[in-house]
Amino acid sequence: MSSNDDFIQIIDDDEPLQTSSSRELPPWKILVVDDDEGVHSVTKLALKNLTILDRPLSLYHCYSVKETKEILQHNRDFAVILLDVVMETDDAGLQMVSYIRKEMQMEECRIILRTGQPGYAPELSIFNEYDINDYRTKAELTRNRLITSITAALRSYRQINTISENRRGLELIINATSYLMDRTAIRSFSQGVLTQLASLLNFPQNGIVCVQRGFPDAANPDGLFVAGAAGELSSLITHPIEDMHDTEARAAIEESIKKRHHIYGEDYCVIYLQSSDNEGAVYINTQHIPSEDDQRILEVFAANITACFNNVNMVERLNFAAYNDPLTLLPNRTRFIIELDHYANMAVPDKLVALIDISHFADLNEGLGIDAGNSMLMEFSKRLKSNLGEQCYIARLGADVFGIIGSETFLNPENLNVILSKPFQIQGMEIPVRTNIGLCRLTGNQVAGLTLLKHANIALTQAKQSNSSRFEYYAEEMEGNTRWRLNVIRRLHEDFDSRKLQLWYQPQIDLRNGKVWGLEALLRWPDAEQGFIQPPSTFIPLAEYSGLIIPIGDWVIEKACEDYAELKSLPDSPEYISVNVSIPQFRSSGFVGKVKDSLYRHQLEPNSLVLELTESLSIDDQSSVIDTLKDLQNAGIATSIDDFGTGYSSLSYLKDLPISCLKIDQAFVKDIRKEGEIFVGGDFADTILTLGNKMDLKVVAEGVETVEQMQYLRSIGCEIIQGFLYAKPMPMVELVKWLEHWNMEKGSDQYDWVI
Ligand code: C2E
Ligand code: CA
Ligand code: CA
């Protein structure tokens, strides 16, 4: 009788090991390799309808080495391979083992060698080297023995599989802590948890969801979010729990978190997770009540992963901090650049990046305190989010600069104006906010995110400097301009440090008596020759922009006081010295104190100093402006509104400013001329003078170049005149000579026309 016949005889053995189960787990895949057709059919019969370790069996059959190799190319997940030792050759089966373990690197599947001839047993070392589970002669393998052998192999396979699944899960968890990318940390942590659980307890991965309280950047920071999910449910990742269709599962998760304990339902369980400052839950669709053993494992597991959960949450927070602004919770500059990078090569004709800068934010911070500043930023970010949040990507890039990416339908001056024009409610006050906005189109010219941001920033800078427009679109020409400006600022810095700046003076004449009423100090930046590197109208705005105006302005006041003190020792010296003060300088902390110090150092009466401020000052944060003006007034220092009439302050507001002087801008003087016997072009000057008189202010007209202009101004009652008609601004040495000459000659016939 052949060995095959022996094999058939075993069929009537005792009852097979069989467990029943309600769970529908996938079958164990078993590969039968034998060149004998009979062995295949006997094996099939022996294993028919069997369930081992809760799972049915699924048999695959191969008749040759070639066939086996083919099937292994597509199926690597065999749990057990029943392998005939002798096939085409005496050791074909052993070579096959080597192929499976070494070439195919299938380490988990269990191998049972079978042979018809007892003499062909492989060397013992081969068992170890190739991790062979069992070696049997076919004669030995009764049905029952076969099943026992397969069961042992499957149990072993399951263990090995669990270990390696665990290892995979563990790797995911470990990796999670080293990731520093958006959201990946908690996501891969959850994925690790899911893999571990599924393999630990043999649950289908499909029914597992890991939920965490609040993704930190979510609109609802306390809500529950799906942090991880497997299979079909993975589309839910990052979604709020409300998006879960399975309402029973949802309710179970919510209950577990509410009650802070695990729940074991009929066909599910929820493991509650808690870390020092967060909580979560893992929902598992077990399809049956977990056994007590399983429950114990679950609990141990939950305790173990809590530590990881803690870590991951910390990493997540670090991660969040790396990409988000902690105050507004908006994405930060780094994140914004990454977002912009998406558009590097993408021409999106309709899309723009916009930078919005809140004007004078620092003053609000200084004037009303950091809390007010913070709530301003919060309100601002809320305003942006509620109006543009759905359609645009919004970030906070710096202290008072917000970045937005979106379509032109939303990011256009009109719409932004509408959104930002309403005042903001800050600590019970209504505070209007002025903004400057730089826009840059996303043209997709292979421009990296950072460059796009730079472009938008160039446009923003331009908008800040433009008097006429608070919006600018980036254009390539602007770049050269920027480089030029930075260069000027750098040189100005150097020259100021090496004391190359000078203060020149222009006299102001009192038409009532021909005396020099005052002097206006004007800054000069001389070059090595007789000229100037840049006129003040160019370099002062740059100094303001760069902040350099503060030290320069301090120096101007100090120098003017010093020079004026020197002039005071001369006979008939002017009564006043006027100094121009920039708005940032006026608002800088300690400004009034510094002015008083300069006066004190040079033993000057405070009321000989007039500070000229531009009219735009009055549209800024009014209360802090008035406070500073009052401080000056209390110190006896006079203030003057320069270039009056060119700004756009409301007269009603101006009326309340504690100032003592108005300067009619030269724009309203230059058109004054005589046509026949009649003066024309002086209406504005006339109006300003009337206004000044009504408000009891001294009125100075500047830019007076012609006798006619002077005559007209005198005819309407303007008393103080400044302009080229009398003198151009000049350095101190020249001024001293000029003053001497003027005082000597002013009564003479030569100067008749003067008054
Ligand atoms: P501003 O305060 O309006 O100064 C008057 C400007 O008019 C001066 O220009 C002066 O040279 C010029 N000017 C005087 N008389 C006449 C005239 O009859 N005809 C014409 N066409 N121009 C006349 P400058 O010196 O070029 O200064 C330009 C601006 O730069 C000043 O305008 C002022 O706003 C600013 N500035 C000058 N020095 C300082 C300073 O020390 N600090 C600050 N913050 N700004 C200054
Ligand atoms: Ca001035
Ligand atoms: Ca002026």
Side-chain angles (χ1 to χ4, degrees):
M1 191 189 259
S2 76
S3 53
N4 287 345
D5 293 335
D6 291 343
F7 195 46
I8 293 166
Q9 285 165 6
I10 57 173
I11 292 169
D12 297 322
D13 268 6
D14 334 318
E15 279 299 299
L17 292 167
Q18 189 167 335
T19 40
S20 67
S21 171
S22 55
R23 268 191 275 175
E24 277 175 32
L25 291 168
W28 300 113
K29 283 168 80 173
I30 295 179
L31 178 63
V32 183
V33 182
D34 207 305
D35 56 356
D36 187 335
E37 170 64 50
V39 174
H40 284 282
S41 43
V42 168
T43 309
K44 222 186 284 181
L45 206 63
L47 303 177
K48 199 173 167 197
N49 293 333
L50 267 191
T51 300
I52 301 179
L53 301 176
D54 294 338
R55 293 161 75 164
L57 307 181
S58 164
L59 298 191
Y60 292 71
H61 299 271
C62 289
Y63 296 87
S64 66
V65 168
K66 187 166 168 274
E67 234 182 307
T68 312
K69 287 186 175 173
E70 266 170 26
I71 202 168
L72 291 179
Q73 293 301 328
H74 309 289
N75 296 273
R76 294 177 51 90
D77 56 343
F78 287 110
V80 177
I81 301 178
L82 288 165
L83 190 56
D84 190 14
V85 177
V86 183
M87 288 187 288
E88 289 96 326
T89 60
D90 286 352
D91 64 348
L94 290 181
Q95 281 178 15
M96 196 67 229
V97 175
S98 159
Y99 175 81
I100 292 169
R101 294 288 190 234
K102 291 205 159 157
E103 270 181 60
M104 295 301 293
Q105 303 244 315
M106 293 168 57
E107 279 142 16
E108 289 166 28
C109 77
R110 302 295 83 209
I111 299 175
I112 298 172
L113 286 177
R114 294 196 293 188
T115 176
Q117 291 89 351
Y120 284 90
E123 302 272 329
L124 247 171
S125 61
I126 304 255
F127 278 82
N128 286 335
E129 192 182 340
Y130 292 131
D131 187 18
I132 294 167
N133 262 58
D134 208 353
Y135 173 80
R136 299 281 163 154
T137 60
K138 293 178 187 172
E140 276 178 285
L141 278 182
T142 59
R143 180 179 183 232
N144 212 3
R145 284 221 187 108
L146 177 68
I147 293 168
T148 312
S149 181
I150 288 180
T151 306
L154 283 176
R155 188 169 284 129
S156 160
Y157 171 78
R158 191 173 70 177
Q159 277 166 0
I160 290 170
N161 203 253
T162 303
I163 292 167
S164 58
E165 288 274 318
N166 274 353
R167 200 172 49 224
R168 272 197 285 276
L170 219 59
E171 270 168 19
L172 278 169
I173 292 180
I174 291 165
N175 284 343
T177 46
S178 59
Y179 276 142
L180 268 177
M181 279 303 292
D182 257 0
R183 296 187 193 174
T184 8
I186 191 72
R187 207 192 284 185
S188 50
F189 168 76
S190 319
Q191 216 64 41
V193 170
L194 305 187
T195 323
Q196 281 232 33
L197 273 179
S199 61
L200 211 61
L201 301 172
N202 253 321
F203 297 131
Q205 287 210 12
N206 245 342
I208 311 186
V209 188
C210 186
V211 169
Q212 195 204 8
R213 191 172 286 293
F215 266 163
D217 59 339
N220 170 11
D222 284 334
L224 293 170
F225 279 78
V226 177
E232 295 158 18
L233 297 173
S234 55
S235 63
L236 283 173
I237 294 175
T238 76
H239 281 241
I241 190 175
E242 285 74 19
D243 289 359
M244 277 180 69
H245 292 305
D246 186 343
T247 47
E248 277 176 39
R250 203 186 118 186
I253 292 169
E254 283 167 344
E255 191 190 332
S256 162
I257 289 181
K258 190 169 157 219
K259 296 195 171 148
R260 297 162 169 251
H261 59 55
H262 314 313
I263 297 177
Y264 299 100
E266 291 222 325
D267 54 358
Y268 70 89
C269 71
V270 186
I271 305 181
Y272 174 70
L273 296 178
Q274 194 180 25
S275 74
S276 52
D277 61 353
N278 203 341
E279 55 183 351
V282 182
Y283 172 90
I284 307 156
N285 183 359
T286 54
Q287 297 172 356
H288 70 129
I289 300 181
S291 67
E292 290 213 352
D293 277 351
D294 284 359
Q295 288 193 19
R296 259 202 308 279
I297 293 174
L298 280 172
E299 270 156 42
V300 171
F301 179 78
N304 272 327
I305 61 172
T306 297
C308 290
F309 188 60
N310 244 328
N311 281 341
V312 170
N313 271 307
M314 208 170 70
V315 170
E316 189 81 353
R317 268 199 310 278
L318 285 177
N319 202 9
F320 185 74
Y323 289 102
N324 293 272
D325 160 42
L327 179 70
T328 58
L329 301 185
L330 286 174
N332 65 10
R333 185 173 179 276
T334 313
R335 188 70 194 76
F336 193 69
I337 292 172
I338 294 173
E339 188 67 22
L340 272 178
D341 273 334
H342 296 323
Y343 296 97
N345 298 315
M346 218 194 292
V348 260
D350 173 49
K351 283 227 166 158
L352 297 159
V353 50
L355 298 190
I356 306 185
D357 179 291
I358 305 177
S359 305
H360 306 305
F361 176 72
D363 302 322
L364 180 83
N365 241 354
E366 239 170 60
L368 296 183
I370 300 223
D371 285 349
N374 283 351
S375 64
M376 173 79 237
L377 292 171
M378 292 292 289
E379 289 305 311
F380 200 86
S381 108
K382 267 193 226 152
R383 178 84 57 88
L384 291 179
K385 273 194 264 185
S386 64
N387 286 280
L388 300 166
E390 303 245 310
Q391 310 90 352
C392 305
Y393 188 89
I394 305 172
R396 180 175 169 220
L397 310 186
D400 54 359
V401 181
F402 290 80
I404 311 181
I405 305 168
S407 112
E408 184 149 33
T409 322
F410 308 104
L411 296 187
N412 59 63
E414 294 74 37
N415 193 42
L416 291 171
N417 258 337
V418 170
I419 293 171
L420 300 172
S421 61
K422 268 194 289 157
F424 289 78
Q425 277 280 349
I426 311 295
Q427 300 183 337
M429 292 175 283
E430 294 251 312
I431 299 193
V433 161
R434 252 175 81 88
T435 51
N436 289 298
I437 299 179
L439 298 139
C440 172
R441 285 176 205 284
L442 302 175
T443 50
N445 287 339
Q446 305 211 304
V447 173
L450 187 60
T451 314
L452 288 169
L453 186 62
K454 272 192 198 152
H455 289 174
N457 204 36
I458 288 170
L460 174 62
T461 309
Q462 204 88 352
K464 281 190 198 167
Q465 301 203 325
S466 152
N467 292 325
S468 52
S469 165
R470 295 162 42 225
F471 292 89
E472 289 292 341
Y473 286 84
Y474 169 77
E476 261 174 54
E477 309 83 79
M478 287 179 178
E479 271 197 89
N481 200 357
T482 306
R483 236 172 279 130
W484 173 86
R485 276 207 309 268
L486 291 175
N487 202 29
V488 173
I489 292 170
R490 190 182 47 75
R491 281 194 67 186
L492 179 62
H493 214 301
E494 287 168 5
D495 283 3
F496 172 63
D497 283 347
S498 44
R499 301 173 174 277
K500 289 195 181 141
L501 298 191
Q502 295 178 2
L503 213 47
W504 289 24
Y505 298 94
Q506 187 178 31
Q508 297 164 325
I509 309 299
D510 188 337
L511 292 181
R512 292 167 302 182
N513 51 26
K515 282 189 181 171
V516 179
W517 179 81
L519 300 167
E520 178 176 8
L522 293 157
L523 197 53
R524 291 294 177 267
W525 185 8
D527 60 15
E529 285 93 51
Q530 291 270 288
F532 300 104
I533 290 172
Q534 296 293 341
S537 52
T538 303
F539 74 79
I540 290 205
L542 294 177
E544 287 174 348
Y545 170 68
S546 66
L548 204 53
I549 195 64
I550 313 278
I552 291 182
D554 290 346
W555 174 81
V556 167
I557 290 176
E558 174 66 20
K559 181 70 181 154
C561 289
E562 183 190 324
D563 286 349
Y564 183 65
E566 197 183 317
L567 293 174
K568 270 294 204 194
S569 60
L570 304 174
D572 269 339
S573 60
E575 227 174 310
Y576 301 101
I577 173 90
S578 298
V579 178
N580 293 285
V581 173
S582 282
I583 294 176
Q585 184 191 354
F586 179 81
R587 302 170 149 277
S588 66
S589 62
F591 172 70
V592 179
K594 285 191 279 191
V595 177
K596 285 202 264 186
D597 287 349
S598 288
L599 287 167
Y600 180 78
R601 249 194 303 277
H602 301 285
Q603 298 173 357
L604 297 176
E605 293 294 323
N607 62 11
S608 53
L609 181 65
V610 181
L611 299 180
E612 296 192 5
L613 307 161
T614 56
E615 199 184 350
S616 56
L617 182 85
S618 56
I619 55 160
D620 289 322
D621 175 24
Q622 308 186 348
S623 59
S624 77
V625 167
I626 293 181
D627 286 348
T628 309
L629 287 172
K630 280 193 181 140
D631 287 350
L632 289 168
Q633 194 179 45
N634 292 338
I637 301 162
T639 44
S640 167
I641 298 285
D642 206 353
D643 305 338
F644 188 83
T646 58
Y648 41 95
S649 54
S650 82
L651 290 178
S652 64
Y653 169 63
L654 210 66
K655 165 171 112 299
D656 297 330
L657 286 183
I659 49 167
S660 45
C661 194
L662 281 187
K663 287 187 85 172
I664 303 177
D665 190 67
Q666 32 186 294
F668 306 120
V669 172
K670 75 174 191 328
D671 292 338
I672 300 172
R673 61 188 187 283
K674 227 176 181 172
E675 280 182 2
E677 281 308 298
I678 303 164
F679 286 109
V680 295
D683 291 350
F684 275 114
D686 195 0
T687 313
I688 294 168
L689 189 80
T690 313
L691 191 84
N693 288 340
K694 277 226 175 79
M695 284 157 50
D696 222 8
L697 302 172
K698 196 88 196 153
V699 179
V700 179
E702 67 180 338
V704 180
E705 297 182 355
T706 67
V707 177
E708 287 175 3
Q709 289 166 351
M710 181 272 288
Q711 286 170 339
Y712 174 74
L713 289 163
R714 186 176 52 189
S715 75
I716 59 171
C718 181
E719 294 163 352
I720 317 296
I721 302 285
Q722 174 186 352
F724 294 172
L725 174 64
Y726 302 106
K728 291 196 168 177
M730 52 204 144
M732 190 57 182
V733 200
E734 270 180 49
L735 175 75
V736 173
K737 281 187 237 156
W738 185 91
L739 283 173
E740 201 182 331
H741 187 72
W742 178 268
N743 288 332
M744 225 161 52
E745 303 289 329
K746 69 171 186 296
S748 72
D749 292 352
Q750 211 188 332
Y751 284 84
D752 246 4
W753 51 268
V754 164
I755 41 179

